Amino acid sequence: MAGTNELEFVLVTGATGFIGAHVVDTLLGQGLRVRGTTRTLAKGDEMIKARPQYAGKLDFVQIDDFENPGGLVEAVEGVDGIIHTASPFTYDTTNNEKELIIPAINGVRAILEAASASPSVKRVVITSSFASVLDANRKAPPYFTYTGADWNPLSYEEAADPATSAVIAYRGSKKFAELEAWNFVEKKKPAFSLVTLCPPMTFGPVVHPVPSVDKLNESNAMLWKVAKGVNPLPVARVPFWIDVRDLAVAHVESLLKAEVGGKRYTPASPERFSYAMAAEIISEGFPELKDGTRLENQTIDVSHGLDGETAAKELGYEYHSFKDTVRDLIKTFEGFAISSADQWQSPKRFEFKPKPFGDYDIDVKIIACGVCGSDVHTATGGWGNKIWPVVPGHEIIGHAVKVGPKVTTVKVGDRVGVGAQIFACLECDACKEDNETYCKKLLDTYASIYPDGTVAHGGYSSHIRAHEHFTFAIPDGLQTELAAPMLCAGLTAYSPLVRNGVGPGKKVGIVGIGGIGHYGILFAKALGATTYAISRSRAKEADARKMGADGFLATKEENWSSEHEMTFDFILCTASSDDGFDLAPYLSLLKTHGRFIAVGLPEGAGWKVRPQSLIANGCLIGSSHLGSRKETLEMLKIAAEQNIKSWVETIPVGEEGCGTALKRVHNGDVKYRFTLVDYEKQFQ
Ligand SMILES: [Zn+2]
Ligand SMILES: [Zn+2]
């Protein structure tokens, strides 16, 4: 019976685990609705929040204990397929039979009983293990190949013997749990059919919630130890392995392919592995880890094989290479994320996966990142952010550690910057006219979603992956922590200045002396204009004059504008507060058809403008968003040539540092920009 099981709604047990989370993503990617079981609903919530593109297609139920599965019958209700990945796994037991073997068997029985009680379930797929296949006493020569027909000859008594090791007991738990499933199906003849998968060591990128790398699943944790220079290298018990993404596809295809009902597969890569191979891949692929990685010779057992071909052929997928798997695992990015608006002051360590690496992409290992007002408006939900968790930061500087084959402007090792825009179509009229910041397909550097569904995260993190167009070489003369804030705040000021003809002979006003405003003064001056700072009080007058301001107006003083009426060519307003803001006196400063450009974005309703306010001098008001790649490169060049010095306070990146920076920016307690530094102390 070839064809497809018509499934819509799938239950995944252990859905917040390493394999389970990949299975969930594969199902969602195929358009199915998914219910996950988890021991802690908070982890389920984290997974839902990390997948805003699948809102409404993923829900979780809490099952603490499959031996005592209150709620399992309800969980199964309405689903038409089940993937059971949950299983006790620990070598840290005091009673193997009670802690490993019996819970595994009871878990399988409970899920199958619940499935039989629900007539809509067509297929159940169970994650078993190669442990349930191998025979520890079978020795080559002659060469032999394990297949799905082989069973571990271990007896229940041997596995449950208190004197046996936890490794043997674990193998027993997998074997007898799987056997329970096949016996159940044979005896009870349920309406669903069963498929079991017996994978070996499983490696690959992490998509489930983990607080830190030392909380990884056992096999990945081994690879991390290798990356961190463990001495001596671990020795693999068996040379067989599979990439978790391939295993997830194998699960989903086992569920969907009608004709594979009743089969038992051993999905495994045809390539053998050793930890010495992993060490070599890591030291070749990650220059920053090279010195710490220990290289050894390890012999790989080639005396026997494992049949992964049958699964690949019948289920229809291909295997990742060990090299890609190791690289993609080590490549998982880490950052400091805000989990929700009410937690905006408490960023937490967070792992995330970048978008797939494209031909024009560059991976940047971050060394510094400015803290922008936008970070606060996003983290607090003030601008209505809906994407959580979010890693803020869009004034990023780092070193290119990987460049795509079509990249021409950056080489590995170059110091580069990434600003507040991460994507545009690069094909539309706006894009072709150096107005990519106005492209309809524009994506912000963080709190946005790529077309493939990947959530983009910002620079409070170890790395960022960016298209070459949005990655800028930083001129040698510029100091990293001073250059970082130019990439958003600097550009936001610079672009409207040059677009509105600011230069020698022009009189320019900069309203608001904060992060953007201080760049307004620095760049207006650098462009040769007569520059006035306009602020509420005179508290920042001395600073503004040091930045180069020729004049200073304090708006709380009576008749502050009258002396300068109709003398300004251009005003850049960087203030983002809108309460009590009276536009009229500002506009009165402008010459005939002078321009007032506002770049501060208030959280509230903004101002009311009547044509009558514009009529006295025929002035124009408008706004401006960031700037183009062309302007970014020009700005950096001018900054280097004229030795423009940003006013920056540095703060060490970390949960504490990011939280402090956000709070202080929120309170306006910064002169005039923070740059997060000391990245090497937080990230490997
Ligand atoms: Zn910004
Ligand atoms: Zn475009």
Side-chain angles (χ1 to χ4, degrees), residues 367-368 397 415 474-487 519 636 639-640 643-646 648 650 675 677:
I367 55 174
I397 293 191
R415 188 174 59 143
I474 304 293
D476 284 343
L478 285 178
Q479 222 176 302
T480 293
E481 61 268 32
L482 303 190
M486 289 182 186
L487 295 164
Y519 281 119
L636 293 170
N643 197 19
I644 292 176
K645 294 260 189 255
S646 313
V648 160
T650 59
T675 300
V677 294

Side-chain angles (χ1 to χ4, degrees), residues 106-139:
N106 288 349
V108 163
R109 189 184 303 135
I111 198 86
L112 294 182
E113 273 166 5
S116 335
S118 173
S120 57
V121 176
K122 297 188 182 76
R123 172 73 46 89
V124 175
V125 178
I126 293 180
T127 317
S128 183
S129 165
F130 178 59
S132 161
V133 172
L134 97 163
D135 174 356
N137 296 318
R138 190 168 171 188
K139 296 280 183 255

Side-chain angles (χ1 to χ4, degrees), residues 424-428 430-431 436 439-441:
C425 80
L426 304 180
E427 286 170 355
C428 69
C431 283
E436 66 272 32
C439 175
K440 284 175 92 171
K441 298 198 171 147

